[in-house]
Amino acid sequence: MIELSLSEYCLLIVCATFVLVGLFGWISSFAHRNAERRGRKVRFVCDLCLTAWEDHGKEKIVPCPHCGRDSERSG
Ligand SMILES: [Zn+2]
């Protein structure tokens, strides 16, 4: 067991906190980017009637539920 003085112990806690905060920020930004990319794949806005809707299917071309105009899935 390594013996730490109080100041070394405090420094270690401060360093660990910085690492954890940085890691958490990195993970949450990664998750946010992922959610945004997923959102673009399922969310559509019709060019013609501006209806917004979500489609969770796999089709590349999705027709507008209001006017029937085809929208292309991005990504
Ligand atoms: Zn439409």
Side-chain angles (χ1 to χ4, degrees), residues 1-74:
M1 180 81 186
I2 307 160
E3 282 196 32
L4 295 171
S5 70
L6 187 64
S7 64
E8 282 172 329
Y9 186 69
C10 288
L11 196 69
L12 190 74
I13 286 180
V14 169
C15 287
T17 306
F18 269 107
V19 168
L20 280 177
V21 167
L23 198 70
F24 182 74
W26 182 72
I27 288 171
S28 72
S29 78
F30 185 73
H32 185 72
R33 263 203 304 277
N34 253 356
E36 227 169 48
R37 204 174 306 140
R38 256 201 314 276
R40 271 204 299 275
K41 278 189 177 181
V42 299
R43 231 167 275 143
F44 300 91
V45 177
C46 179
D47 296 333
L48 200 64
C49 65
L50 298 178
T51 300
W53 78 99
E54 288 192 5
D55 184 281
H56 295 274
K58 290 264 188 274
E59 296 87 5
K60 190 87 179 156
I61 303 293
V62 182
C64 170
H66 185 72
C67 68
R69 184 188 170 94
D70 290 337
S71 291
E72 197 172 335
R73 190 188 302 274
S74 64

